[in-house]
Amino acid sequence: MRWENLAEQPVRPGSDAALFGADAVVTRTVDTPGFRGITFHEIRARSIVNRVPGASRMPFTWTVNPYRGCSHACVYCFARKTHSYLDLDTGLGFDSQIVVKTNAPELLRRELGGPRWRGGHIAMGTNVDCYQRAEGRYRLMPGIIEALRDHANPFSILTKGTLILRDLDLLTEAAAVTDVGISVSVGFTDRELWRTVEPGTPAPERRLDVIRALAERGIDCGVLMAPVIPCLGDHPDQLRATVRAIAEAGATSVTPLVLHLRPGAREWYFQWLTEHHPHLVPHYERLYASGAYAPKSYQRRITGQVHELAREYGIGPARSGAARRIGPQPEAAAAEPEQLTLL
C-alpha cells in the first residue's frame, strides 16, 4: 500500500505516500486474536475536524471520523471508495483493514480550543461507524465526547452499533451544555436480509434495543431508515413491519433513505447481488442506469409510503434544520450554536 513504509515517519506533503494528505504518521499495524481477520493500522493524525465539501448533499459542514474502513461490512457502504485512496481494496479490504486515529481525542480537544474554531455542529458516524467493533478495543469515543462536552460544542452521532450505550452518561453530560443528536440506522427488520447485506453489524432487533434504552433514559433518538433496498426490502409489508418496530421501540422520528450506489460500493454490491440474487441484476442495471441514485419517482414513492406509515404509528420525519436533543434545553448561551440535523 502507499503508506506501508511510513512507520514513525511524517508524511511529506504532495507525496504518493500521503495517507491523509500531510495529516498522519503511521505508528504500527496490529493483528489481534480477538479480532480474527481484522488488521488495525494505527496512525497519529495531524487533524481531525474535517470540512464537508461544498458540493456534498450532506446537511452538515463538519465531521469527525476516528476510524477509516468498517468491520460492519455492509455491502452497500458508500464509504468503500475512500479505501482506494490508500491503495487498499474497497471490498474485503474495507471490511478488514481498519485505520485507527489513535490520537483523535487529544487532537480534537486541541482543535476545538484553537482560535479559528467557531463552534460549528460536528457530525460523527456519517462516513464509517464510530461505534464499530474497533471502538471496543480503542475506546476513542469517550475522550471525543468529553472534549465536545468541555467545549460545549454541538454534535450528532449516527450509528448501527450497540456500544453507544456504554457512553450514555457522557452523552447526557454533554447534552446539559450543548445540542446533542443521536440517530440509529435501521433500514429493515428482515433477519435473512440482514445476515447477508450487513453481516458485521448488530442485528436489527439489537439496534431497536438501543433505541429503547435511550428512551428509558429520556434521550430522544431518531432513526435513519437506510437503506431501503429495492426488491429486497421495499415491499409494503416490509416497510410497515420496519416502521412499526421503530415506533414501538420509542424512536422520535424516522427518515427513509433509498439505497444509493456510488463507485466502489456499486461494484461490490453488484458482486453480492450476482451471488445472492442473480435474477435481480438486470432490474438493478436499469434502476441505476443513470448513476448512483435510483430514479426520483421511486425515491418519492418510498419516502411517501414511509412517512404515511410513520404518521399512522405516531412518529414523523426528522424536522429539517434542527438537531435532535437529549434532555432539556440548556440555559441561554453567549452565542446561538449552529443547529443542523444529522439526517
Side-chain angles (χ1 to χ4, degrees):
M1 64 186 72
R2 295 179 183 176
W3 42 284
E4 61 186 351
N5 296 319
L6 294 182
E8 303 297 349
Q9 297 296 321
V11 179
R12 298 188 304 277
S15 73
D16 289 338
L19 173 57
F20 298 97
D23 296 332
V25 176
V26 180
T27 57
R28 65 173 184 161
T29 294
V30 182
D31 293 302
T32 305
F35 293 82
R36 185 179 300 276
I38 298 178
T39 299
F40 297 115
H41 302 284
E42 299 177 356
I43 71 167
R44 291 189 63 79
R46 292 182 178 171
S47 66
I48 196 67
V49 179
N50 311 297
R51 177 183 281 277
V52 176
S56 172
R57 296 189 180 198
M58 298 298 184
F60 41 78
T61 305
W62 304 99
T63 64
V64 165
N65 299 296
Y67 302 101
R68 196 160 175 175
C70 187
S71 58
H72 283 345
C74 302
V75 296
Y76 52 75
C77 184
F78 73 89
R80 289 183 175 277
K81 179 66 175 178
T82 62
H83 248 39
S84 67
Y85 308 151
L86 314 181
D87 280 350
L88 290 171
D89 176 55
T90 60
L92 289 176
F94 180 84
D95 303 339
S96 62
Q97 303 284 325
I98 311 301
V99 177
V100 183
K101 303 176 188 178
T102 57
N103 62 331
E106 63 192 80
L107 190 55
L108 177 60
R109 185 174 292 275
R110 188 177 74 196
E111 292 187 22
L112 293 179
R116 296 184 179 181
W117 181 245
R118 294 294 181 265
H121 178 104
I122 290 176
M124 292 178 284
T126 59
N127 186 39
V128 301
D129 203 319
C130 51
Y131 283 105
Q132 61 175 286
R133 286 186 62 204
E135 175 60 16
R137 171 186 171 90
Y138 287 98
R139 298 182 60 87
L140 300 179
M141 287 301 293
I144 288 172
I145 296 169
E146 287 170 354
L148 291 162
R149 176 201 64 193
D150 293 349
H151 286 275
N153 202 100
F155 66 93
S156 53
I157 297 172
L158 171 64
T159 185
K160 290 186 177 80
T162 57
L163 194 56
I164 191 173
L165 296 179
R166 179 199 65 194
D167 296 338
L168 286 189
D169 288 343
L170 283 174
L171 290 167
T172 303
E173 291 173 8
V177 296
T178 190
D179 284 328
V180 178
I182 298 179
S183 295
V184 173
S185 177
V186 184
F188 45 83
T189 54
D190 185 318
R191 285 186 63 85
E192 184 176 352
L193 181 59
W194 159 68
R195 286 190 181 99
T196 60
V197 80
E198 298 173 345
T201 65
E205 56 265 32
R206 297 288 75 78
R207 287 175 249 164
L208 295 170
D209 288 342
V210 169
I211 299 168
R212 290 188 186 92
L214 293 168
E216 289 173 359
R217 289 281 294 265
I219 297 175
D220 289 347
C221 179
V223 169
L224 179 62
M225 189 171 160
V228 176
I229 303 179
C231 304
L232 297 172
D234 64 349
H235 188 277
D237 290 345
Q238 292 173 301
L239 297 178
R240 176 174 289 277
T242 301
V243 174
R244 181 175 62 244
I246 289 169
E248 290 175 349
T252 56
S253 67
V254 57
T255 303
L257 182 65
V258 170
L259 174 74
H260 59 276
L261 297 171
R262 300 181 188 177
R266 185 186 185 99
E267 296 83 357
W268 191 243
Y269 184 84
F270 267 88
Q271 181 177 325
W272 173 86
L273 193 68
T274 299
E275 178 182 351
H276 292 273
H277 305 282
H279 63 288
L280 292 179
V281 171
H283 176 73
Y284 267 78
E285 289 175 340
R286 293 190 296 270
L287 193 65
Y288 291 91
S290 298
Y293 295 89
K296 289 185 177 179
S297 58
Y298 175 80
Q299 296 185 54
R300 284 194 292 267
R301 175 166 64 84
I302 296 298
T303 298
Q305 288 177 297
V306 171
H307 286 175
E308 182 177 348
L309 289 165
R311 286 191 293 271
E312 179 181 338
Y313 288 108
I315 57 177
R319 180 166 60 89
S320 178
R324 280 181 296 279
R325 300 191 51 78
I326 297 176
Q329 291 279 343
E331 298 297 326
E336 182 69 18
E338 177 185 4
Q339 294 190 14
L340 294 171
T341 179
L342 179 60
L343 306 182

